[in-house]
Amino acid sequence: MEEIKIQRTDHPAAKPDAHGLGFGKVFSDHMFLLNYDKGQGWHDPRVVPYGPFTLAPSAMVFHYAQEVFEGLKAYRTADGTVQLFRPIDNARRLKDSCERLCIPPIPEEDFVEAVKTLVKVDIDWVPDVPGTSLYIRPFIIATDASLGVHASHSYIFCIITGPVGAYYAAGINPVKIYVESDDVRAVKGGTGYTKCGGNYAASIRAGERAEEQGYAQVLWLDGVHRKYIEEVGSMNVMFKIDGKIVTPMLTGSVLPGITRRSCIELLKSWGYEVEERLITAQELFDAAKAGKLDEAWGTGTAAVVSPIGEMGWEDQHVVVNGGQIGPVTQKLYDTLTGIQWGTQPDPYGWVVKL
Ligand SMILES: *Cc1c(COP(=O)(O)O)cnc(C)c1O
């Protein structure tokens, strides 16, 4: 990548109170941009003031959703330094997503350099209140002004950031999830293993329905058999059944989460048996009714680890661990957040200082 040009804003925005931060509503002063044009490749890396795009109404992304994204965070440690968590894994996953969506890939080291450069420019936006971080949202959109269905010849890679508080306003409290029997998020052969906007568009209806019934998230079943557990909302999902950790295997319709991988590595290092396999909703509810579902939790960058306290599935309803956060869930949360915020050692080399 060429040298990244930096153009600072003349109108820095007032920073929000770091105690009342929500998720994804406030954005930092700058953004990173990189353009792609066929024949030229990726070019003109730059940091510019945060602001709107001008795109043709016929731009392909608006019609055919040729788009991919990532999500990661920058954390401020007690000594004031700022660090990232496994950013190279985001870079690799973005490449995989690009490959599936026919978008030209961005070299991993360029991705990491772009993220680091942008966060350094907006370093004062990384909040220092416990539990807060700077959320980083890289994304690529297809910009050809054309309604023909084909891979675009031009793209914009953009990174925006913004300070965030805890994902759930109520803190790390067990959530209620609903097993969705009608809508599916993804199918094998589709784009389920990529981070692309289209997956989310397909998921919104079930999410709305679940919310109407008082549930926080949807537990997705596989699209073919409508039987196997895949993910929960925008998180991967794990269960402790009869002492063993069980999590859906990566079948192609499940997103390979970096938090998921980190949890599996931690759990194995603690001596737990971790099974990555197919798991039916029936097995899960049977285990719960037999008193063998010890714990259930979701994993993802935004919420880190999110305990599941109740599950509904058609006319069945079960409570997990008395609706309380369980010890394994708590230990995963404490260890991961400890490594991310630098209050615990990082024996795995996951953390990258700015
Ligand atoms: C991003 C995402 C996850 C979690 O991935 P992390 O890398 O752990 O943040 C899980 N499921 C879906 C559908 C996602 O988009």
Side-chain angles (χ1 to χ4, degrees), residues 179-235:
V179 182
E180 171 63 40
S181 304
D182 293 326
D183 288 1
V184 296
R185 188 193 81 93
V187 290
K188 203 169 171 173
T191 52
Y193 68 92
T194 71
K195 266 185 122 66
C196 72
N199 291 341
Y200 278 82
S203 79
I204 288 172
R205 185 170 71 175
E208 299 277 305
R209 282 192 197 135
E211 251 174 54
E212 274 164 28
Q213 297 180 65
Y215 292 90
Q217 297 265 345
V218 172
L219 187 62
W220 296 104
L221 298 179
D222 78 283
V224 177
H225 309 278
R226 310 284 181 99
K227 190 161 110 170
Y228 301 108
I229 304 282
E230 299 226 305
E231 305 197 42
V232 50
S234 52
M235 293 184 283

Side-chain angles (χ1 to χ4, degrees), residues 168 172 175 177 217 219 231-239 247 259-260 263 295-301 303-309 329 332-333 336:
Y168 294 104
I172 179 178
V175 294
I177 60 168
Q217 297 265 345
L219 187 62
E231 305 197 42
V232 50
S234 52
M235 293 184 283
N236 295 110
V237 67
M238 299 185 174
F239 308 99
T247 190
T259 320
R260 173 188 184 275
C263 284
E295 296 181 44
W297 65 92
T299 68
T301 296
V304 193
V305 171
S306 182
I308 295 167
T329 313
L332 280 172
Y333 181 84
L336 271 179

Side-chain angles (χ1 to χ4, degrees), residues 138-305:
F139 61 103
I140 306 175
I141 54 173
T143 54
D144 271 11
S146 162
L147 298 184
V149 180
H150 60 80
S152 184
H153 294 152
S154 59
Y155 298 87
I156 295 173
F157 172 47
C158 177
I159 310 174
I160 55 175
T161 73
V164 296
Y167 190 73
Y168 294 104
I172 179 178
N173 280 320
V175 294
K176 284 173 74 171
I177 60 168
Y178 186 72
V179 182
E180 171 63 40
S181 304
D182 293 326
D183 288 1
V184 296
R185 188 193 81 93
V187 290
K188 203 169 171 173
T191 52
Y193 68 92
T194 71
K195 266 185 122 66
C196 72
N199 291 341
Y200 278 82
S203 79
I204 288 172
R205 185 170 71 175
E208 299 277 305
R209 282 192 197 135
E211 251 174 54
E212 274 164 28
Q213 297 180 65
Y215 292 90
Q217 297 265 345
V218 172
L219 187 62
W220 296 104
L221 298 179
D222 78 283
V224 177
H225 309 278
R226 310 284 181 99
K227 190 161 110 170
Y228 301 108
I229 304 282
E230 299 226 305
E231 305 197 42
V232 50
S234 52
M235 293 184 283
N236 295 110
V237 67
M238 299 185 174
F239 308 99
K240 182 160 170 270
I241 302 176
D242 214 7
K244 266 190 226 164
I245 312 295
V246 187
T247 190
M249 62 197 284
L250 300 177
T251 51
S253 44
V254 174
L255 196 285
I258 296 163
T259 320
R260 173 188 184 275
R261 183 182 312 147
S262 306
C263 284
I264 292 173
E265 290 171 27
L266 285 174
L267 288 160
K268 285 185 174 167
S269 79
W270 298 336
Y272 284 103
E273 210 174 307
V274 182
E275 293 181 350
E276 295 179 63
R277 62 169 170 86
L278 295 176
I279 164 168
T280 63
Q282 194 61 57
E283 174 186 349
L284 195 62
F285 277 70
D286 287 348
K289 287 172 191 164
K292 293 185 171 172
L293 178 59
D294 308 327
E295 296 181 44
W297 65 92
T299 68
T301 296
V304 193
V305 171

Side-chain angles (χ1 to χ4, degrees), residues 75-83 127-128 338 340-343 353:
Y75 307 85
R76 194 175 288 280
T77 66
D79 66 11
T81 57
V82 171
Q83 55 192 31
D128 61 1
Q340 290 165 340
W341 274 279
T343 57
K353 297 248 173 214

